[in-house]
Amino acid sequence: MKHYSIFLFTLSFLIASCKRQQVSQTPIISSVDTLKVATIPTQKDSVVAAPVAPTVTPNTPAEEEKVSIDEIDFKYLKAKAKVSYKSPNDSQSFVVDIRMRKDSLIWLNISAFGITGATALFDKDVVKFYDKLHGEYNEYTYANFAEKFNFNLSYDILQALVVGNRPFKKNKSRVTRSNEYFLLKQTDNKVLIDNYIGENKKLKKILLTQEDTSNKLTLDFDDFTTLNQFLFPQSSLITLDYVSKVDQKMYQTVVNIKHTKVELLDTPLEFPFRIPEKLLNKN
C-alpha cells in the first residue's frame, strides 16, 4: 500500500512526487497488453508516434459536420475501477472508488485488500490529498504541478480522463482526416492537443504535448459500453512520457483503468473528506 500515492501522481501528474524526490537512473519503457501503445524512444527530443498512419488531408465542410463528438452528459457519476500502473521504479494495483459532480468535483478513495490508503478531492482550483496510512495531508494548486513538472494540468483534463469527454471545448479546432480518425488539433497555454475521434463519434485518444518540454500525456479510451443511452469507455489507458530534471533522460509511466461498475445519476452524492484536526493545523 505504500506506493498508492504514485498512482495518484500519474493520474494528475503530481501528488506522490511532491512528497518524494527519487527518480530512477535507468529509463524503463513499460508495455501494456490491453491496448496498443506506440513505442517511445528514450532520446530527450523524441516524439510519440501517432496511433495511425501520419498521412492527413485537409478537412472539408462535410467532414466538419461528421466530426461532432457524442459526449457523455450527466450530473453525478459513481464508479469503481481496478487500476494498475507501471513506473520506472515500481508497479502496483489498486481498487479506486470514484465520485464526480460534473464540472465541479472529483473524489477518489484508493484501497487495497479492503483497506483505505488514501483519499483525494479535486475541484477547479485545488487538489486535497489525505494519506491515511502515513498520517499526511497536503493541498496543491494546479499551478504547483505546472511549476514542478513543466506541464499544465487542469481539472478539465482529469474529468476527461474518467469519462472520455473532450477537455477543451471552447478552443478553436483545426480538423484533418487521418485514415479512420478525424483529428481535431488545438492549443491551450503552450499545450498542443490532438483529439482523435472515431467513426462512432466517440473520442478514442487525446495526446497532450507541452511545447517547451516535449513532455506528453496520452489518454486512450476503449471498451465502449452503452450506459444511459451514452457510449461510455470502460477502459482508459494513461501514458505519461516526461524528461527527468535529474538526468535529462526520457521516462514513461503507464496507468491502466478498468471500470467494474459505473452509474450516471441525477441524485446528489456525498463527497466525504474528513481530515484529523492535528493535520489541518500543520497546513
Side-chain angles (χ1 to χ4, degrees):
M1 283 295 296
K2 66 180 181 178
H3 298 295
Y4 56 78
S5 56
I6 300 178
F7 154 68
L8 211 50
F9 156 71
T10 307
L11 187 62
S12 55
F13 278 75
L14 38 97
I15 293 177
S17 289
C18 287
K19 296 191 284 185
R20 288 177 235 154
Q21 300 294 326
Q22 299 175 355
V23 178
S24 170
Q25 296 301 310
T26 304
I28 299 176
I29 303 301
S30 304
S31 61
V32 177
D33 295 332
T34 54
L35 293 175
K36 294 181 179 179
V37 183
T39 300
I40 311 299
T42 57
Q43 297 298 320
K44 178 180 177 181
D45 57 351
S46 59
V47 179
V48 178
V52 293
T55 304
V56 296
T57 56
N59 58 296
T60 65
E63 287 177 338
E64 289 191 28
E65 292 179 4
K66 293 179 182 178
V67 84
S68 61
I69 303 174
D70 287 341
E71 299 200 330
I72 297 170
D73 189 19
F74 66 98
K75 293 181 180 179
Y76 293 90
L77 177 145
K78 184 178 181 180
K80 183 182 288 289
K82 293 181 179 179
V83 178
S84 60
Y85 82 90
K86 292 183 180 180
S87 73
N89 297 319
D90 198 12
S91 62
Q92 293 289 327
S93 297
F94 311 103
V95 174
V96 181
D97 290 290
I98 305 168
R99 297 182 184 183
M100 182 183 299
R101 184 168 68 216
K102 187 181 179 183
D103 300 329
S104 177
L105 285 175
I106 300 174
W107 175 92
L108 302 179
N109 190 71
I110 304 167
S111 61
F113 308 109
I115 302 173
T116 296
T119 305
L121 188 66
F122 301 79
D123 65 22
K124 285 285 190 176
D125 302 308
V126 178
V127 177
K128 299 178 180 181
F129 179 65
Y130 175 33
D131 181 342
K132 185 176 181 180
L133 283 186
H134 299 90
E136 298 179 9
Y137 171 69
N138 291 283
E139 293 185 6
Y140 309 92
T141 66
Y142 294 104
N144 294 148
F145 309 136
E147 181 179 353
K148 184 172 182 61
F149 300 109
N150 291 324
F151 204 107
N152 294 310
L153 184 73
S154 70
Y155 175 92
D156 293 331
I157 293 175
L158 298 178
Q159 180 170 277
L161 184 158
V162 177
V163 301
N165 285 349
R166 186 158 57 111
F168 302 97
K169 298 180 180 64
K170 296 181 180 180
N171 299 51
K172 292 183 178 179
S173 302
R174 181 169 62 88
V175 183
T176 59
R177 186 67 184 262
S178 181
N179 291 345
E180 72 270 29
Y181 293 98
F182 287 100
L183 175 58
L184 273 66
K185 301 183 73 69
Q186 302 170 295
T187 59
D188 185 88
N189 196 19
K190 295 184 179 180
V191 175
L192 304 178
I193 307 114
D194 291 338
N195 303 276
Y196 292 86
I197 296 91
E199 294 181 355
N200 61 355
K201 296 186 178 181
K202 293 300 299 183
L203 188 62
K204 295 286 291 182
K205 180 188 184 77
I206 306 173
L207 172 60
L208 307 173
T209 305
Q210 186 75 36
E211 287 187 280
D212 50 357
T213 65
S214 296
N215 291 347
K216 300 177 187 296
L217 176 67
T218 308
L219 311 178
D220 286 280
F221 306 104
D222 205 355
D223 298 334
F224 290 91
T225 303
T226 301
L227 181 65
N228 291 23
Q229 299 182 340
F230 298 105
L231 286 177
F232 188 92
Q234 296 287 341
S235 299
S236 300
L237 186 69
I238 311 160
T239 308
L240 171 62
D241 299 286
Y242 61 98
V243 176
S244 168
K245 290 185 176 181
V246 176
D247 57 16
Q248 301 303 307
K249 293 181 180 179
M250 180 71 77
Y251 293 87
Q252 183 181 84
T253 297
V254 176
V255 176
N256 198 342
I257 301 175
K258 289 279 190 180
H259 290 288
T260 57
K261 183 179 181 180
V262 182
E263 297 177 84
L264 303 179
L265 307 169
D266 291 327
T267 306
L269 294 172
E270 294 184 354
F271 300 84
F273 195 80
R274 299 177 182 86
I275 309 302
E277 187 174 349
K278 63 179 181 180
L279 295 181
L280 288 174
N281 293 334
K282 293 181 181 180
N283 289 273

